[in-house]
């Protein structure tokens, strides 16, 4: 990879294009839905996952900024343009950041036909990790996509080892 994380300053930015993505409610969960598998309650949506990632990275000595702004409510269709403007400003503000993570909750389908990819680790079910890397396909310009792919593959390798 063409960069090293030096543990100096803010090196990692975490945000959520689909901020309100939530998980299946259990009897212990007490939150109001704002849509199917969505909630504005940041203790129960994907923001909580971003907070945990931040906590773990900070324990390792990395500087992390976690953006918690809601981009997909009330309009899901505007989420990418709203988040795009915000991440452009954040990468200018935290110009030493080498890693930008858009963390989502992954599930497909509606109603009774829901696909929730899980993996069992040590007897506990956990959500699988899906790493999505953009490329220059479809007319978009992602000049660093090969470096992003290398980084994603390195993350995958480390996760598989653990």
């Amino acid at each position: 990879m063409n960069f090293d994380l030096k543990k100096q300053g803010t090196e990692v930015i975490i945000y959520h294009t689909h901020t309100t993505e939530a998980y299946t409610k259990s009897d212990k969960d007490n939150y109001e839905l704002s849509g199917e598998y969505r909630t504005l309650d940041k203790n129960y949506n994907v923001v909580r996952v971003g907070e945990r990632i931040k906590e773990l990275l900070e324990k390792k000595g990395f500087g992390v900024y976690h953006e918690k702004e809601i981009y997909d409510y009330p309009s899901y269709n505007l989420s990418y343009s709203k988040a795009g403007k915000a991440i452009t400003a954040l990468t200018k503000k935290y110009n030493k950041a080498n890693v930008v993570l858009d963390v989502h909750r992954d599930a497909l389908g509606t109603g009774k036909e829901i696909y929730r990819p899980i993996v069992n680790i040590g007897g506990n079910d956990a959500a699988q990790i899906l790493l999505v890397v953009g490329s220059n396909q479809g007319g978009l310009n992602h000049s660093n996509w090969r470096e992003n792919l290398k980084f994603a593959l390195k993350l995958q390798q480390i996760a598989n080892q653990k």
Side-chain angles (χ1 to χ4, degrees):
M1 293 183 290
N2 287 336
F3 71 90
D4 290 315
L5 293 176
K6 307 247 189 267
K7 297 185 179 181
Q8 297 173 348
T10 300
E11 302 166 292
V12 179
I13 298 171
I14 300 170
Y15 75 107
H16 314 277
T17 298
H18 300 145
T19 320
T20 64
E21 290 177 330
Y23 299 85
T24 303
K25 284 177 86 170
S26 73
D27 294 338
K28 297 176 188 176
D29 298 324
N30 185 24
Y31 64 88
E32 187 176 324
L33 292 171
S34 63
E36 192 170 353
Y37 296 102
R38 298 189 179 281
T39 183
L40 295 169
D41 189 332
K42 294 176 184 174
N43 290 310
Y44 292 97
N45 63 25
V46 75
V47 171
R48 181 65 193 103
V49 176
E51 268 305 288
R52 185 65 178 139
I53 293 169
K54 177 185 177 193
E55 291 166 10
L56 293 170
L57 289 173
E58 287 178 337
K59 279 185 184 177
K60 296 284 186 183
F62 296 105
V64 181
Y65 174 77
H66 182 200
E67 173 68 10
K68 301 175 191 174
E69 188 68 33
I70 293 176
Y71 297 113
D72 63 341
Y73 185 88
S75 173
Y76 180 86
N77 291 338
L78 293 177
S79 59
Y80 282 104
S81 62
K82 287 168 61 177
K85 289 175 188 171
I87 202 62
T88 297
L90 288 171
T91 54
K92 285 180 183 170
K93 181 177 180 180
Y94 300 105
N95 60 0
K96 303 275 190 230
N98 284 307
V99 177
V100 178
L101 301 173
D102 184 2
V103 179
H104 292 254
R105 179 260 310 135
D106 191 24
L108 303 171
T110 57
K112 294 181 182 183
E113 303 271 337
I114 301 286
Y115 171 69
R116 293 180 280 261
I118 60 169
V119 63
N120 191 284
I121 302 172
N124 296 308
D125 285 342
Q128 288 183 8
I129 298 171
L130 173 65
L131 302 168
V132 178
V133 178
S135 71
N136 288 334
Q137 294 294 317
L140 298 174
N141 182 19
H142 295 289
S143 59
N144 293 325
W145 77 267
R146 285 181 177 84
E147 287 303 306
N148 293 342
L149 180 59
K150 288 180 195 176
F151 181 68
L153 291 171
K154 184 68 175 174
L155 281 176
Q156 181 183 24
Q157 179 185 33
I158 292 168
N160 287 341
Q161 288 170 351
K162 293 188 176 285

